[in-house]
Structures are given as C-alpha cells and as structure tokens.
Amino acid sequence: MKLILAIVNNDDSAIAAASLTEAGFFVTKLSTTGGFLMVGNTTLLIGTEEKDVEVVLDLLKKYCTTRKQMNTPTSSFGAGLQNFSLPEEVTVSGATVFVLGVDRMEKL
Ligand code: 2BA
C-alpha cells in the first residue's frame, strides 16, 4: 500500500478531491501553508494500492494547474535574511506529490 501526499493550490483542491472520490479513492484534505509564500495551500492524503498510484497522479495532473504567484517581500521565512525590495513572481506547480510506502493500515 502507498500513501500519496499531494500539495495543491486551494483553488484546485475541491475538484481534485471530488474527482478522486468519484473514482473510488479515499481522500483526506488538510489545510496547509507553504513555507516560502506563506499562503494557504491544501494537502491531500490518499491511501491506495500501489497499482492505482498512476491513476491518482493522472487525476491530479488533470485538475491541478501550474500558476504564477507573487512572492511579496514579507511573505517568506527568508525575508529577514535577504534585501528584497520588489515583489517577485514564482511558478507554483500544479501539485507537489510524495508517494510513501505504508507498512500497515487499519480502520479500527
Ligand atoms: P511554498 O513553500 O509557498 O512555495 C511556493 C513556490 O515558491 C514553489 O512552488 C517554488 O516555485 C518557490 N519556492 C519555494 N521554496 C523556495 C526556495 N527555497 N527558493 C526559491 N523558490 C522557492 P512549488 O515548488 O511548486 O511548491 C508549491 C508548494 O508545495 C510549496 O509552497 C510547499 O508548500 C510545497 N512544497 C514544494 N516542495 C516541497 C518539498 N520539497 N517539501 C515540502 N513541501 C514542498
């Protein structure tokens, strides 16, 4: 079994989670915050069989889109370390995905 951890844009999270649920996957949504932009994003947790990992990745690719976002001078942990004077644009990927092995899963 695998645990897929997908960090997605808040605006894509509802449709991504709905499409996964509709396809029969179990999904948990966590409200998270990116450490660089310090703005909210969503982390989806999906526990699934290894054979279905690519199906999940395909759905995430379909519904999660790459965006340009402004990094304002005060938004980053690094703001105190660097002399930012103007906002800069960063490219935020549609989904940042980690696929982890799961030793055991129980529903008690
Ligand atoms: P944030 O940390 O808010 O990062 C937003 C975007 O800012 C990143 O997009 C990247 O383009 C840029 N960025 C982040 N850290 C940077 C740094 N140290 N120096 C220069 N640019 C930086 P993505 O890479 O697509 O990441 C989107 C979100 O996914 C991140 O939001 C974070 O919440 C998560 N993430 C990405 N990579 C991660 C990792 N290796 N471990 C944990 N979380 C990660």
Side-chain angles (χ1 to χ4, degrees):
M1 182 166 207
K2 297 287 184 186
L3 177 65
I4 300 170
L5 234 151
I7 304 163
V8 305
N9 192 287
N10 282 345
D11 293 340
D12 296 332
S13 65
I15 188 154
S19 71
L20 289 161
T21 302
E22 196 176 323
F25 295 101
F26 290 80
V27 181
T28 297
K29 280 176 67 180
L30 303 177
S31 294
T32 45
T33 302
F36 190 73
L37 294 178
M38 294 302 285
V39 298
N41 52 29
T42 300
T43 299
L44 302 177
L45 306 183
I46 305 124
T48 190
E49 296 307 319
E50 189 162 1
K51 68 178 175 51
D52 291 325
V53 167
E54 293 305 320
V55 179
V56 172
L57 294 187
D58 285 345
L59 285 168
L60 291 170
K61 272 182 213 151
K62 183 171 178 184
Y63 291 108
C64 301
T65 51
T66 299
R67 288 177 170 79
K68 304 266 187 205
Q69 280 183 238
M70 297 309 289
N71 172 29
T72 56
T74 55
S75 68
S76 168
F77 286 151
L81 305 174
Q82 298 178 47
N83 185 23
F84 289 123
S85 54
L86 290 171
E88 61 183 28
E89 198 173 61
V90 293
T91 302
V92 182
S93 44
T96 299
V97 181
F98 300 87
V99 182
L100 313 176
V102 174
D103 288 340
R104 177 171 166 171
M105 180 202 152
E106 302 272 357
K107 292 192 181 182
L108 305 174

